[in-house]
Amino acid sequence: MRLRTAALAASAIALAFANPISAQDMPVPTYPETRADGTVETIFGQEVADPFRWLEEDVRNSEEVAAWVARQNELTDSFLSELPGREAYEARIKELYDYERFGIPTEKGGRYFYSRNDGLQNQSVLYVREGLDGEPRMLIDPNEWAKDGATALSGWVPTEDGSKLLYSIQDGGSDWRTVRVMDVATGDILADEVEWVKFSGLSWAKDGSGFYYSRFPETGEGETFQALNTNHQVYFHRLGLDQSEDELVYATPDRPDLNHFANVTDDGRYVLVTSSSGTDDRYEVTLVSRETGEKRTLIPGFDHNYSYVGNDGDNFYFVTNDGAPREKLVMFDLAQDDPEAVTIIPEMEETLQGVSLVGGKLVASYLKDAKSLIRIHGLDGTLQRDVALPGIGSAGGFGGELDKSETFYYFSSYNRPTTIYRYDMDSGESEVWAQPDVAMNPDDYTVEQLFYTSKDGTKVPMFLVRRADIAAEGKAVPTLLYGYGGFNISLTPGFSPSRIAWLDAGGAYVVANIRGGGEYGKDWHDGGRLMNKQNVFDDFIAAGEFLKANGYTTPNGLAIEGGSNGGLLVGAVVNQRPDLVDAAHPAVGVMDMLRFDRFTAGRYWVDDYGYPSKEADFNYLLTYSPYHNVRDGEDYPAVLVTTADTDDRVVPGHSFKYTAALQAAELGDKPQIIRIETRAGHGSGKPTDKAIEEAADVGAFLAYFTGLDLSDEE
């Protein structure tokens, strides 16, 4: 890759539009100047240029980076504001967002806790009812916490008797959390406050005397949002005491790279600590006696997934891939000195996603070709029945108690917003608990599942969503293709107001369930990571080729999109096949594959990407790293990079450097610009108004460069 620096005066940063712009004459922007500092490293005998490394600096600490962000946003805002149909498109997205939606309720002590959003509230509000049919009472309204709506309620857990509520606060999209406690009856906030919490569950002692949490040590000044996270520890906070007096429960100072997550077991006897070293489902499980503090390693080593489901006395249930790539359920009898796993539900053809222990039964959630399938089993594993679902979609929830028959679950699909159901484990009957009323008719859209063949012959599924009239006509239309392909994460059907707006405008929406995900278990994940990562890009490229070759997509109408690891996917595919793609949206992507492990949570990702410090991995990473493989002199599609200046999961330096590399190369007559959100993180906790604005910007950009006419929205 050759990198050049644009020699432009600061006065030429912003675009000047004297007259309204039509869909035929949007000018190519003139990019602001980005300093190239000539940084070159020799790594394993290869010279690697990194001229924009200075953009890795935290925007809160570097005036130069802050100024760069301001210049880029000025350019991008000017360009996006002139896109035809954008305002009407945003209005339609806002209309589709404006519906009442609920979270799954949790019952404790006869009280039902649940979240609710009236439609356009920036953050959902937490409510409680005294009994299932009681009057709703507001407990926490995070919309009152910050004027910009960027402070969120990120998690909450009531005590067993429902008298107190433990909740965590997320500010500006950061992964750091502050934890507080509320008296449910009075609404009073207790003095207890716990900080430096990150990548943590929250678990009450059964008697409500305190709670368990995980934290990292306090960081140095100016390092909070970029420093590597090490030395994860589990603490117990006793109510009424200062955090400085919290009891250290579990730590591994000899293995500072490990993470530890604590759960109080169903019977309250133990703290179950699940330890991991990265993003892989490979765990060590330790039981810590709540009475004596004695530690007992139940599952040693870091070889397989062992996810705690629950326990019935000494019988402890886990989901595992040990000898079962698509997962199975096993049980350990803790009454034995050296318990061995006994299979309760064997591996099936479908992929087991999780199991819950409710009403004296086991609820097993499966994926069948990326669609939900729910089965009810006895405690001995005997299949009793399936749960009838409304169609192709995603279902989840099914929490509850071993001795109570009540549970709740959600169902959602691309054309159906989330509905909450109450389910009786004894009778097998479902009833609607909360159903949204949205400004659309689900029957006006079709959801189809297709299968296509990738480069190496692998059959890959995709979901195709269109307006029913367009599907009936069999017409080719501009298409938005979405993918992820990593970290064993499955892409399942779900509702999105902005996707419906795209469909309303006449486009198609496609999700490709490419390798690297978890749709078909461990083998599917392994087929798309480490030295197999190219399969992910090949699968996505094959999806685009399939859509164009089979008349689903117009010849110049393919947009691609992905976030985080999916941002990497989009960046790599644009570099490898710029001729296939017409517009691209890489969001909060991992773009520098040689330095990803040096910031915040990046060190965990070596399980999927490999180690840049190892020569074989380095050589492979260099072949597809988006930042290092921009093809100067090629005609590139239009690219809109999005990130947030305070993202502390995938630090924004990835997107900053990648954008600088794009803008420094000769890539034809399409724009490559970046939209940088402020006071936002990797995605979670983003206020509704910011989500709508971003969706309108991205959608209008992709529509313009794929030929999707948004004028019908006006």
Side-chain angles (χ1 to χ4, degrees):
M1 178 187 72
R2 298 197 313 274
L3 294 168
R4 63 178 177 81
T5 302
L8 302 172
S11 60
I13 290 169
L15 290 172
F17 296 112
N19 300 300
I21 303 302
S22 73
Q24 286 74 40
D25 58 7
M26 286 285 286
V28 177
T30 300
Y31 304 123
E33 182 178 359
T34 299
R35 176 173 64 85
D37 65 8
T39 298
V40 178
E41 288 183 313
T42 301
I43 308 174
F44 297 117
Q46 298 189 57
E47 287 193 349
V48 179
D50 191 2
F52 305 116
R53 183 174 293 181
W54 62 272
L55 285 169
E56 294 176 351
E57 293 296 320
D58 192 330
V59 69
R60 286 158 287 210
N61 301 329
S62 170
E63 292 184 1
E64 185 179 17
V65 174
W68 184 89
V69 168
R71 293 195 300 270
Q72 292 287 340
N73 270 342
E74 186 178 2
L75 166 73
T76 300
D77 290 347
S78 297
F79 188 89
L80 296 177
S81 67
E82 296 295 332
L83 288 169
R86 187 211 169 279
E87 290 186 7
Y89 190 64
E90 181 176 13
R92 177 56 176 155
I93 295 172
K94 186 174 182 179
E95 180 185 25
L96 288 163
Y97 258 97
D98 194 7
Y99 69 94
E100 185 181 35
R101 48 194 178 272
F102 293 81
I104 292 178
T106 295
E107 185 274 328
K108 290 294 181 182
R111 287 175 166 149
Y112 288 77
F113 301 81
Y114 62 95
S115 64
R116 173 187 173 273
N117 192 305
D118 66 14
L120 295 177
Q121 290 174 293
N122 277 326
Q123 303 292 342
S124 292
V125 179
L126 184 66
Y127 288 84
V128 65
R129 294 181 185 178
E130 303 291 337
L132 184 63
D133 300 318
E135 286 296 315
R137 174 166 59 93
M138 187 179 72
L139 280 181
I140 299 176
D141 183 2
N143 297 289
E144 299 175 349
W145 290 345
K147 289 182 179 180
D148 63 357
T151 303
L153 175 64
S154 61
W156 49 269
V157 184
T159 53
E160 285 296 306
D161 63 2
S163 65
K164 294 182 180 62
L165 183 81
L166 180 63
Y167 65 96
S168 56
I169 301 167
Q170 176 188 27
D171 185 60
S174 172
D175 282 332
W176 292 107
R177 302 290 189 266
T178 298
V179 179
R180 301 300 304 269
V181 181
M182 170 184 280
D183 184 293
V184 174
T186 65
D188 293 338
I189 309 300
L190 305 188
D192 303 76
E193 183 175 60
V194 171
E195 298 182 305
W196 300 106
V197 178
K198 192 175 189 181
F199 306 143
S200 173
L202 300 173
S203 190
W204 282 103
K206 295 297 181 181
D207 61 5
S209 60
F211 57 87
Y212 295 86
Y213 67 95
S214 304
R215 61 162 291 180
F216 289 103
E218 185 173 346
T219 64
E221 185 177 355
E223 298 179 343
T224 302
F225 301 102
Q226 287 206 326
L228 281 174
N229 302 136
T230 57
N231 290 301
H232 211 217
Q233 301 169 323
V234 174
Y235 280 86
F236 177 70
H237 175 79
R238 187 171 297 279
L239 293 186
L241 299 182
D242 187 80
Q243 184 178 4
S244 62
E245 300 179 70
D246 287 357
E247 174 191 349
L248 178 62
V249 175
Y250 195 83
T252 51
D254 57 327
R255 289 287 307 275
D257 59 317
L258 296 182
N259 273 11
H260 309 292
F261 303 90
N263 282 293
V264 175
T265 57
D266 288 349
D267 57 9
R269 290 185 295 163
Y270 302 99
V271 180
L272 186 143
V273 179
T274 301
S275 302
S276 64
S277 62
T279 56
D280 267 7
D281 295 333
R282 294 182 290 111
Y283 304 130
E284 183 169 270
V285 178
T286 304
L287 292 170
V288 182
S289 170
R290 287 206 64 245
E291 182 178 353
T292 66
E294 180 182 355
K295 297 177 178 63
R296 177 184 183 183
T297 300
L298 178 63
I299 301 164
F302 297 87
D303 299 319
H304 302 286
N305 172 37
Y306 276 94
S307 296
Y308 175 65
V309 170
N311 65 288
D312 180 12
D314 285 329
N315 294 335
F316 278 61
Y317 295 89
F318 291 83
V319 171
T320 183
N321 59 9
D322 189 354
R326 297 197 185 190
E327 310 282 353
K328 64 182 178 180
L329 182 75
V330 299
M331 184 269 288
F332 291 88
D333 180 1
L334 260 62
Q336 301 178 15
D337 293 335
D338 188 18
E340 295 186 357
V342 176
T343 297
I344 303 298
I345 302 177
E347 181 184 27
M348 303 289 187
E349 181 182 353
E350 302 83 11
T351 302
L352 182 61
Q353 294 287 286
V355 177
S356 54
L357 192 57
V358 185
K361 296 178 174 60
L362 297 164
V363 184
S365 300
Y366 289 91
L367 281 187
K368 182 177 176 60
D369 294 327
K371 307 179 294 289
S372 285
L373 175 66
I374 310 297
R375 292 172 174 151
I376 308 298
H377 296 257
L379 293 181
D380 62 355
T382 303
L383 177 63
Q384 296 185 352
R385 59 178 176 267
D386 288 354
V387 175
L389 299 176
I392 293 176
S394 302
F398 295 101
E401 307 292 336
L402 179 62
D403 58 352
K404 295 180 181 179
S405 65
E406 179 184 71
T407 187
F408 294 85
Y409 68 94
Y410 72 85
F411 179 83
S412 179
S413 191
Y414 295 114
N415 62 340
R416 295 185 183 277
T418 299
T419 297
I420 309 297
Y421 294 87
R422 182 174 180 264
Y423 186 77
D424 188 290
M425 295 295 296
D426 292 335
S427 68
E429 296 295 322
S430 290
E431 62 181 16
V432 173
W433 186 77
Q435 187 168 25
D437 182 14
V438 187
M440 49 81 72
N441 181 359
D443 295 333
D444 289 342
Y445 312 87
T446 64
V447 180
E448 305 170 66
Q449 188 171 48
L450 307 173
F451 291 84
Y452 66 95
T453 303
S454 190
K455 182 178 181 179
D456 63 357
T458 299
K459 186 173 71 170
V460 182
M462 65 164 59
F463 289 105
L464 170 64
V465 191
R466 296 175 288 179
R467 277 193 347 226
D469 60 322
I470 290 174
E473 293 175 19
K475 184 170 62 175
V477 295
T479 300
L480 175 55
L481 172 62
Y482 185 88
Y484 187 79
F487 297 97
N488 201 34
I489 292 174
S490 303
L491 296 185
T492 61
F495 183 76
S496 164
S498 62
R499 304 301 187 215
I500 296 296
W502 178 270
L503 300 176
D504 287 347
Y509 177 60
V510 175
V511 174
N513 299 105
I514 57 182
R515 280 174 285 185
E519 288 87 348
Y520 295 104
K522 187 177 185 299
D523 292 343
W524 197 251
H525 177 210
D526 288 346
R529 66 178 181 138
L530 301 174
M531 295 296 182
N532 293 321
K533 191 66 178 177
Q534 183 59 42
N535 288 335
V536 177
F537 314 137
D538 290 342
D539 288 357
F540 204 57
I541 289 168
E545 292 174 332
F546 173 85
L547 292 168
K548 286 192 172 183
N550 288 275
Y552 295 106
T553 303
T554 50
N556 299 307
L558 181 65
I560 62 173
E561 182 177 57
S564 195
N565 175 75
L568 157 65
L569 166 69
V570 170
V573 168
V574 165
N575 284 338
Q576 294 182 16
R577 286 296 306 275
D579 60 308
L580 176 67
V581 180
D582 302 292
H585 173 218
V588 292
V590 186
M591 299 307 203
D592 184 344
M593 301 309 298
L594 304 186
R595 290 175 61 81
F596 70 84
D597 60 341
R598 302 187 183 209
F599 303 97
T600 62
R603 67 180 180 84
Y604 302 130
W605 310 335
V606 295
D607 284 344
D608 248 51
Y609 299 147
Y611 291 82
S613 58
K614 296 181 179 180
E615 184 171 6
D617 291 351
F618 165 84
N619 288 331
Y620 191 69
L621 290 164
L622 188 57
T623 66
Y624 68 81
S625 176
Y627 172 57
H628 297 92
N629 286 280
V630 174
R631 295 163 64 180
D632 196 3
E634 294 278 346
D635 286 338
Y636 263 44
V639 180
L640 176 58
V641 182
T642 59
T643 188
D645 63 0
T646 54
D647 186 348
D648 58 359
R649 180 81 58 82
V650 178
V651 294
H654 281 279
S655 292
F656 295 173
K657 292 168 60 176
Y658 170 66
T659 300
L662 290 173
Q663 294 181 353
E666 295 286 356
L667 299 177
D669 60 1
K670 302 285 181 63
Q672 290 85 40
I673 56 178
I674 184 169
R675 183 188 189 278
I676 306 162
E677 189 65 82
T678 58
R679 286 263 301 150
H682 200 57
S684 66
K686 181 175 291 186
T688 299
D689 58 2
K690 284 188 177 183
I692 292 172
E693 183 181 355
E694 180 180 43
D697 283 344
V698 172
F701 181 89
L702 298 179
Y704 179 81
F705 289 103
T706 57
L708 182 64
D709 185 3
L710 298 182
S711 62
D712 290 343
E713 298 286 327
E714 297 177 340

